Amino acid sequence: MKLDNRGLEPPQPMLRTLAALESLPEGETLLIINDRRPMFLYEQLDEMGCSHVTAEQEDGSFLIEIKK
């Protein structure tokens, strides 16, 4: 599943991401694209036991791969 959060003001990207994770089956991966590094989201993901990898893209956005 892929979620494009670019152009949204905080906290919308985090809220959309957490809502998408709720319906994501265990073991699946969610890819999100954000305008900025989601520092507060990382804490939530760690608490939920999700692994995550962030890669800055050439356009300055961030691609975050989240495994539930």
Side-chain angles (χ1 to χ4, degrees):
M1 175 183 229
K2 192 171 188 176
L3 191 60
D4 189 342
N5 290 325
R6 292 177 289 187
L8 299 174
E9 289 298 316
Q12 287 305 311
M14 186 163 90
L15 295 175
R16 288 183 77 213
T17 300
L18 293 174
L21 282 170
E22 278 185 27
S23 62
L24 193 71
E26 202 69 33
E28 293 293 313
T29 300
L30 173 65
L31 294 175
I32 63 169
I33 304 171
N34 282 13
D35 290 322
R36 48 188 79 75
R37 192 178 296 271
M39 301 309 292
F40 296 111
L41 177 63
Y42 296 142
E43 295 173 26
Q44 293 282 337
L45 296 175
D46 291 341
E47 287 178 18
M48 295 169 65
C50 296
S51 62
H52 49 88
V53 177
T54 302
E56 187 169 1
Q57 304 300 291
E58 288 183 15
D59 66 358
S61 66
F62 293 87
L63 176 67
I64 301 97
E65 181 178 325
I66 304 166
K67 182 156 183 161
K68 186 171 179 183

